[in-house]
Amino acid sequence: MEQHFFTFLTQRYGLKALIDENASAILRAMQRYASFDNHVAVFAKIMRNEIEEGFRCVQDELLSAAAHLLRQQLQVRNPLAREEELAATVERQLRSEEPVDERDWRVIVSSIFDDHDCRSIYLALQQIIRRYPSANVDPRSLGQGHEAERSGDYCERPGSTGVLFFDQLSKVLLDYQLHRHEKFLAPFRYVFAGRVVGASIASIRVNS
């Protein structure tokens, strides 16, 4: 991936100074936004050869499945809604302009992950809900690592379930999937790293 990255920059800019400048800017941006945006985090890990390039397709499929399940749930709970009304509601929720109902996000999670994973994901989502204000929410602050500080009631108030927006939900799902995949790959990375080190030592001995 790194080779493709520099090949692209070379074809795009040609001059070494411009290539270095843009490469540095991209790397700085990855460092800055990886913790806020899962797509950036995945790209950074692919660049470092920590995960395979095809994993981004897995993440895209997960996001697509979550969006499909959201639409399905809204349709089930609103069987009399007109198609244009349903489409508008789905679009608003996918854009995080209005929150996702807890009944819907629970179905989304349980339809994609097994029981063990669901428990971990539910805990992560509940932590977001508990600290997130249920009033005067600015959707532009979502998914950017900001905790909205607004006046009004908070989710801790009695009888409140708080709010959860789709970009918060999707980030938790994507981050969890990434973490699980990294955990799966860890033994293979360890073996591969050992072989690389062993080959390097053998090369030094041969050349010495």
Side-chain angles (χ1 to χ4, degrees):
M1 182 64 177
E2 185 177 353
Q3 182 179 354
H4 293 307
F5 174 70
F6 282 103
T7 298
F8 168 78
L9 292 179
T10 300
Q11 293 174 346
R12 181 73 179 269
Y13 299 106
L15 297 175
K16 186 178 184 304
L18 290 176
I19 295 170
D20 292 345
E21 179 184 347
N22 282 276
S24 297
I26 292 171
L27 293 175
R28 285 196 302 272
M30 285 194 297
Q31 281 186 324
R32 181 175 181 180
Y33 294 108
S35 61
F36 304 145
D37 189 311
N38 182 268
H39 291 89
V40 177
V42 168
F43 182 72
K45 290 179 183 295
I46 291 173
M47 282 286 293
R48 296 193 296 266
N49 295 315
E50 295 177 4
I51 58 175
E52 71 279 13
E53 293 181 36
F55 183 71
R56 63 183 179 81
C57 298
V58 175
Q59 297 294 73
D60 289 343
E61 290 174 4
L62 173 59
L63 199 57
S64 177
H68 173 75
L69 288 165
L70 175 61
R71 178 183 175 82
Q72 192 175 67
Q73 276 301 109
L74 289 171
Q75 194 167 25
V76 167
R77 292 199 299 103
N78 302 277
L80 300 180
R82 292 181 299 178
E83 179 61 30
E84 58 269 23
E85 293 175 345
L86 179 65
T89 301
V90 172
E91 187 66 19
R92 286 195 302 272
Q93 293 197 16
L94 290 178
R95 291 185 176 183
S96 296
E97 294 173 358
E98 65 180 48
V100 179
D101 190 282
E102 182 173 353
R103 292 168 293 181
D104 297 335
W105 63 253
R106 282 187 177 274
V107 169
I108 291 171
V109 175
S110 63
S111 298
I112 297 175
F113 295 91
D114 61 28
D115 291 343
H116 173 75
D117 292 332
C118 281
R119 286 192 291 271
S120 299
I121 293 171
Y122 288 155
L123 286 174
L125 293 174
Q126 290 291 353
Q127 288 175 357
I128 292 174
I129 289 172
R130 280 197 297 270
R131 71 170 180 258
Y132 203 83
S134 59
N136 301 322
V137 176
D138 181 2
R140 292 171 297 178
S141 70
L142 301 176
Q144 299 178 17
H146 302 298
E147 291 186 10
E149 298 178 358
R150 302 285 187 270
S151 59
D153 296 333
Y154 279 76
C155 302
E156 289 87 345
R157 74 183 190 278
S160 172
T161 56
V163 293
L164 182 74
F165 289 84
F166 186 79
D167 58 355
Q168 293 173 308
L169 170 63
S170 61
K171 186 177 188 307
V172 169
L173 299 184
L174 292 171
D175 285 351
Y176 187 85
Q177 179 87 333
L178 175 59
H179 173 73
R180 189 172 66 170
H181 190 61
E182 287 185 294
K183 187 175 180 179
F184 169 76
L185 291 177
F188 302 100
R189 290 178 56 197
Y190 177 79
V191 172
F192 178 76
R195 288 181 177 177
V196 170
V197 171
S200 299
I201 293 174
S203 175
I204 292 171
R205 287 175 179 171
V206 168
N207 295 329
S208 59

